[in-house]
Amino acid sequence: MSIHSPASSLRKNTILQAEDFDALLADQTHIVVVNNFVKEEVRKVLLDFAGKTPRIPYINDISDRGVTKYQDYGVWRIGPALNTLFGVTDTAERKQRLETYFQETERTRSAITQALGPLESPVRTLQEVLARVHLAGARLADIDERPCMSGILRGTEPGSTPMVEQPHIDLIRDESLETFRHIRQQFSALMILSAPLSGGDLRVWQGPLYDPSHSGDEKVFIKKTLEEETYVQAHPEAGDLILFNTRHPHATTLFEGSSTDRISMQTFVGYRGAGESLLLWN
């Protein structure tokens, strides 16, 4: 059974430093937490926006012996997710789904910008911070010169069954997406808008990173990691920025008996190499 890992695998700071990000890249640290990253007035505006905007299920992609399948883990989202393209081989359907993705991107980005008014979006702040800690900078990923979504809102309600029961891995599962073909590492950035007092923790298992070219069947890899490796765990606080490598099996622990949803603004961050800009997308 997994046990808690040493505290050295978890870094906490009030500012994202270059050494924090470098430790993530080197896989020396598994979770980086930056306190008070999302300012209180921004957090309140986004929570109000989330409460008034229709939500849809965030269906997580999983690999089952090389075939992409989808499973609902009890998470809702506001904004489009690129994983809706994974596993779609029909040309016409793929074109339509991609167009839907970009239409939703424009609507969501416009609605969030309008809600925030003069306030800066946390994902824009994150992009600026990442550009300071990574010399080659950070930018929105694009497909055919159309910018991808970055900064969807995601949430889990108390009593839902989130991903703790089935830890998973996130990575690009579609080799036809040229923009993402050369990504060497993928991170998730969670900007926490609200969190329960207990539970709803992020849990990241240690051990080797999953490599789709060499690590074999994904389910077997996850099962073996959970049996053999320790994990590091972090409890989210409102305003936190949490960064971790999504090629490690990870999950969110169950929380019940709370009146507070676990809500974050989230984006993926792709690393292609020291001389390449970071890419942000959902």
Side-chain angles (χ1 to χ4, degrees):
M1 178 180 290
S2 297
I3 58 174
H4 290 281
S5 68
S8 59
S9 291
L10 171 64
R11 284 180 175 234
K12 291 187 177 182
N13 215 329
T14 55
I15 299 174
L16 182 64
Q17 304 281 2
E19 51 264 36
D20 297 327
F21 192 68
D22 289 345
L24 276 177
L25 289 177
D27 206 34
Q28 296 168 346
T29 293
H30 292 76
I31 302 176
V32 170
V33 179
V34 180
N35 299 129
N36 301 315
F37 182 84
V38 183
K39 302 307 177 188
E40 184 68 10
E41 56 184 338
V42 173
R43 192 177 67 83
K44 288 181 177 180
V45 168
L46 290 175
L47 284 176
D48 181 67
F49 172 79
K52 298 176 179 178
T53 305
R55 308 165 175 182
I56 61 175
Y58 188 104
I59 307 301
N60 201 78
D61 54 280
I62 58 175
S63 177
D64 186 1
R65 287 166 291 196
V67 178
T68 299
K69 298 183 178 180
Y70 294 89
Q71 187 161 349
D72 186 352
Y73 286 123
V75 180
W76 55 258
R77 66 175 167 90
I78 297 172
L82 193 65
N83 71 354
T84 56
L85 298 176
F86 300 167
V88 180
T89 57
D90 180 78
T91 302
E93 182 182 358
R94 183 181 179 81
K95 182 178 180 180
Q96 180 57 52
R97 289 200 190 188
L98 187 60
E99 186 60 32
T100 299
Y101 170 82
F102 281 117
Q103 289 175 359
E104 291 181 2
T105 293
E106 293 174 4
R107 284 197 297 268
T108 305
R109 186 175 289 136
S110 176
I112 290 175
T113 299
Q114 184 176 358
L116 286 170
L119 301 174
E120 184 173 74
S121 169
V123 76
R124 175 60 183 168
T125 305
L126 174 66
Q127 184 178 343
E128 295 169 352
V129 170
L130 289 174
R132 291 200 295 270
V133 300
H134 181 68
L135 292 178
R139 65 177 179 84
L140 294 180
D142 68 89
I143 300 175
D144 298 330
E145 299 184 348
R146 300 175 74 177
C148 294
M149 181 66 197
S150 176
I152 67 172
L153 300 181
R154 292 177 34 156
T156 306
E157 298 173 357
S160 294
T161 305
M163 292 166 262
V164 67
E165 295 181 358
Q166 296 190 41
H168 67 290
I169 289 169
D170 294 308
L171 72 163
I172 295 294
R173 303 187 192 280
D174 195 326
E175 294 183 354
S176 67
L177 293 170
E178 175 65 29
T179 302
F180 305 96
R181 192 170 294 168
H182 303 294
I183 286 177
R184 294 164 56 185
Q185 295 195 56
Q186 180 173 325
F187 302 90
S188 182
L190 303 173
M191 291 149 280
I192 306 299
L193 304 180
S194 70
L197 291 177
S198 62
D201 295 4
L202 170 67
R203 183 176 292 179
V204 179
W205 276 262
Q206 299 174 287
L209 290 165
Y210 181 75
D211 182 340
S213 301
H214 300 99
S215 297
D217 182 78
E218 188 174 314
K219 285 189 172 182
V220 173
F221 176 88
I222 293 173
K223 184 176 184 293
K224 182 178 179 182
T225 299
L226 268 59
E227 290 174 347
E228 298 181 358
E229 303 293 342
T230 59
Y231 62 78
V232 60
Q233 187 163 310
H235 180 71
E237 302 284 350
D240 283 353
L241 164 66
I242 301 177
L243 288 162
F244 66 97
N245 196 316
T246 64
R247 291 190 180 184
H248 282 298
H250 57 278
T252 302
T253 64
L254 184 66
F255 63 101
E256 299 179 290
S258 170
S259 60
T260 305
D261 290 4
R262 185 186 190 273
I263 302 175
S264 64
M265 176 173 272
Q266 185 268 346
T267 189
F268 291 115
V269 179
Y271 173 77
R272 299 179 295 171
E276 299 282 346
S277 61
L278 300 171
L279 297 181
L280 280 69
W281 78 92
N282 282 120

